[in-house]
């Protein structure tokens, strides 16, 4: 009874706090206080406070040297000036993420489009060195008009690889050869589609609508209802729909500004001082991705870091702590609502009754070997072997980018059976090749060899081992000789002394013919008059 009351109270507490904001709580039961664990995630935060901004190319920020600029609405009003050396007139990149006070708008600004028709291009790269999950719309505020062409990119691997997130143009077909779409055209099944939208690029006057958005709320609303009243439904989809969570996940964002605002008309070359980009704010509402193992995410040594619970560790709580690897790591789950499943990392002890059974999650069984006095893992999975399942089975090698407790820690060598000595490889995946074979898997031949279920030395080629007497080399395997010749390189005439054939074309003579020729030569020199 008491337990039920406490649980009910707890449930109320959880719903007032919003779900998944607690990783655990102490509950009293008839047997005393125990910890209850739940799936948990940090609160949404304004990630612009933590972003590192880089603009490219390096000289794109205005003011060095100082320059004048005009506005699109009144092109003859060119009183404004950008001067990097004067704090009041400078427009450095950090003004895209500052906190504006007293209604004073501060903005980053580029040089003007002096070199038209060469495009005025600028990239803004935003990095966090942390996986984040969007919780609301990204909003970029442009002063002096929004770009007519722009791409928003994202990276999920700290900038190693990038993918487009959304295309923006005043004419999608013309700029990107894409049909214009709105998020509201998307159905639940294609909500993660990358679209091109014209909604944020058309000229409406520079003051009327300054914002360009990446719509997250509207995508959430497809599952959670227009006022996001049913987040459970969204979270359930996050678990079941492939790619949905990843769609909102990123470590870096990049804005590629491809053409500035033009004022609703074509480029007027006599006044290029009115074309440039200016951004006053970039809002990125998101939360740290902690795999539902942390409810806090704090700045540590300049980087965001999940405060991992459930005996997990790592920047995103993506591993089990040392000594808690009895089972493979798993992300927490939103299901079942409302508290989810924490998927706690377990000590080896809690699984294998007091033995020190550390198998990096590749086994949860150990046995004691009496005469060696050791405890060893039994039936290591994932192609591992060894006392702690810490080695790879023969024929497999260690995946250098995987942790020891990763399911993909051992990669099959895949040595070519014909080309290699055996099916084992070294620690970087190189197999041991037979003579003439090469390549990591020994499925290639060194020069001078040809492949035919293994590597064999060339019998003919186009350089050293030329087929002679008009023979042709067939796949380095044999010379196809004209009928009157034979031999590996067709170097032998089929004609033998006494037979009726034409030896004149042959550079090779039988001994008898040679003798005859020598004799004839002598005779001729004797007969020639001096
Ligand atoms: C912006 O980034 C893209 C993709 O890496 C690159 O191709 C392009 O050259 C960059 N543009 C500028 C102006 O640096
Ligand atoms: C990124 O974060 C990781 C983990 O917090 C840290 O080890 C690394 O030094 C950081 N890199 C940069 C460039 O700050
Ligand atoms: C998404 O799916 C809906 C209906 O299934 C379809 O009408 C719409 O064109 C699709 N959108 C895109 C961008 O493919
Ligand atoms: C994590 O391990 C510690 C012991 O090191 C234990 O006190 C704690 O309760 C564990 N937490 C969870 C969530 O299992
Ligand atoms: C190696 O491990 C990494 C990290 O777990 C994984 O992403 C990758 O797919 C693995 N490589 C192979 C070939 O299995
Ligand atoms: C594995 O073999 C390849 C080819 O012989 C060699 O280049 C590499 O250094 C070897 N790796 C190790 C770790 O021995
Ligand atoms: Ca600002």
């Amino acid at each position: 009874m008491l337990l039920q009351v406490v649980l009910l109270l707890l449930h109320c507490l959880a719903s007032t706090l919003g779900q998944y904001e607690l990783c655990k709580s102490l509950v009293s039961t008839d047997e005393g206080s125990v910890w209850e664990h739940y799936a948990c995630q940090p609160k949404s935060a304004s990630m612009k406070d933590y972003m590192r901004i880089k603009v490219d190319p390096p000289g794109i920020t205005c003011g060095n040297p100082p320059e004048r600029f005009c506005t699109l609405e009144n092109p003859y009003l060119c009183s404004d000036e950008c001067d990097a050396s004067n704090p009041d007139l400078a427009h450095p990149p950090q003004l895209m993420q500052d906190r504006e006070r007293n209604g004073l708008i501060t903005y980053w600004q580029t040089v003007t489009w002096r070199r038209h028709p060469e495009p005025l291009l600028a990239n803004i790269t935003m990095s966090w060195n942390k996986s984040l999950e969007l919780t609301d719309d990204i909003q970029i505020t442009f002063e002096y008009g929004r770009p007519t062409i722009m791409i928003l990119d994202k990276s999920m691997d700290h900038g190693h690889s990038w993918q487009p997130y959304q295309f923006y143009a005043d004419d999608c077909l013309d700029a990107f050869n894409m049909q214009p779409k709105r998020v509201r055209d998307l159905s639940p099944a294609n909500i993660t589609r990358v679209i091109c939208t014209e909604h944020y690029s058309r000229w409406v006057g520079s003051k009327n609508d300054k914002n360009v958005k990446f719509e997250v709320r509207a995508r959430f609303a497809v599952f959670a209802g227009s006022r996001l009243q049913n987040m459970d439904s969204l979270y359930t989809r996050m678990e079941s729909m492939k790619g949905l969570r990843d769609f909102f996940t990123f470590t870096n964002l990049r804005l590629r500004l491809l053409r500035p605002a033009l004022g609703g008309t074509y480029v007027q070359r006599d006044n290029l001082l009115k074309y440039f980009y200016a951004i006053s704010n970039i809002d990125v509402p998101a939360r740290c991705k902690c795999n539902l193992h942390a409810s806090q995410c704090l700045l540590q040594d300049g980087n965001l870091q999940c405060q991992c619970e459930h005996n997990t560790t790592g920047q995103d709580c993506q591993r089990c702590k040392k000594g808690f690897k009895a089972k493979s790591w798993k992300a927490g789950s939103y299901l079942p609502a409302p508290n989810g499943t924490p998927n706690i990392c377990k000590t080896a002890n809690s699984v294998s009754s007091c033995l020190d059974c550390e198998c990096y999650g590749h086994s949860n069984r150990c046995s004691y070997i009496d005469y060696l006095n050791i405890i060893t893992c039994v039936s290591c999975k994932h192609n591992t072997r060894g006392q702690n399942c810490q080695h790879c089975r023969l024929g497999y090698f260690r995946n250098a980018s995987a942790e020891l407790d990763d399911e993909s820690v051992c990669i099959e060598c895949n040595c070519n059976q014909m080309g290699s000595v055996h099916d084992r490889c070294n620690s970087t995946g190189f197999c041991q090749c037979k003579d003439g074979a090469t390549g990591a898997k020994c499925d290639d031949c060194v020069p001078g060899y040809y492949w035919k279920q293994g590597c064999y030395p060339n019998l003919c080629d186009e350089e050293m081992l030329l087929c002679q007497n008009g023979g042709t080399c067939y796949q380095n395997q044999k010379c196809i000789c004209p009928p009157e010749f034979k031999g590996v390189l067709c170097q032998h005439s089929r004609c033998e002394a006494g037979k009726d054939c034409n030896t004149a074309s042959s550079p090779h003579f039988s001994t008898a013919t040679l003798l005859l020729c020598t004799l004839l030569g002598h005779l001729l020199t004797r007969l020639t008059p001096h």
Side-chain angles (χ1 to χ4, degrees), residues 54 74 129 168 322 382 497 507:
K54 183 170 171 286
N74 189 349
N129 191 23
Y168 300 85
K322 200 166 167 28
H382 312 132

Side-chain angles (χ1 to χ4, degrees), residues 71 207 287 289 454:
T71 60
K207 302 271 189 314
R287 68 164 57 95
K289 177 188 169 88

Side-chain angles (χ1 to χ4, degrees), residues 181 185-187 190 193 195:
K181 296 269 184 208
D185 300 332
L186 299 174
S187 69
N190 58 17
R193 188 71 57 84
I195 59 169

Side-chain angles (χ1 to χ4, degrees), residues 230-389:
N230 188 0
M231 288 300 275
D232 277 350
S233 159
L234 173 68
Y235 290 145
T236 305
R237 288 298 184 121
M238 291 268 190
E239 299 273 343
S240 61
M241 191 175 151
K242 199 165 173 284
L244 186 61
R245 277 199 91 149
D246 280 353
F247 183 78
F248 298 106
T249 304
F250 62 98
T251 56
N252 307 54
L253 295 171
R254 179 170 67 196
L255 278 179
R256 282 154 68 190
L257 306 175
L258 300 174
R259 199 174 66 197
L262 302 180
T265 172
Y266 53 88
V267 178
Q268 277 149 356
R269 314 186 62 147
D270 55 341
N271 185 356
L272 293 170
L273 300 184
K274 59 183 176 174
Y275 305 119
F276 53 88
Y277 307 103
I279 297 181
S280 57
N281 194 43
I282 300 179
D283 256 332
V284 183
R287 68 164 57 95
C288 288
K289 177 188 169 88
C290 302
N291 287 299
L292 298 184
H293 288 310
S295 58
Q296 303 242 19
C297 184
L298 303 177
L299 207 56
Q300 285 180 340
D301 309 320
N303 289 296
L304 285 169
Q305 166 74 53
C306 299
Q307 307 297 300
C308 302
E309 303 262 2
H310 304 155
N311 286 313
T312 60
T313 185
Q315 210 184 14
D316 306 342
C317 311
Q318 76 281 25
R319 294 194 301 272
C320 288
K321 265 191 191 159
K322 200 166 167 28
F324 292 88
K325 296 183 177 174
K327 287 201 298 188
S328 300
W329 174 90
K330 263 177 96 171
S333 165
Y334 286 116
L335 302 178
N339 288 329
T341 313
N343 289 328
I344 295 169
C345 290
K346 296 251 164 58
T347 50
N349 292 354
S350 63
V351 172
S352 71
S353 60
C354 302
L355 290 179
D356 185 14
C357 179
E358 164 67 285
C359 306
Y360 294 102
H362 304 302
S363 167
N364 46 28
R365 237 160 21 95
C366 284
S367 75
Y368 177 68
I369 302 178
D370 206 7
Y371 66 94
L372 292 173
N373 187 28
I374 57 163
I375 294 156
T376 181
C377 300
V378 175
S379 38
C380 297
K381 284 181 303 207
H382 312 132
N383 304 306
T384 59
R385 67 179 174 90
Q387 189 180 346
N388 305 108
C389 306

Side-chain angles (χ1 to χ4, degrees), residues 397 399-403 406-411:
F397 69 105
N399 180 347
S401 58
E403 294 284 330
D406 199 311
E407 285 192 15
S408 60
V409 68
C410 293
I411 304 174

Side-chain angles (χ1 to χ4, degrees), residues 23 58 64 72 98 113 138 153 158 163-164 172 198 209 215 250 256 271 286 289 294 298 305 326 381 426 445 448:
C23 294
N64 186 19
L72 286 163
D98 62 341
W113 199 357
I138 298 174
D153 289 333
H158 303 279
Q163 62 205 80
C172 281
E198 296 179 349
D209 198 349
E215 287 143 314
F250 62 98
R256 282 154 68 190
N271 185 356
K289 177 188 169 88
L298 303 177
Q305 166 74 53
K381 284 181 303 207
N426 76 8
C445 297

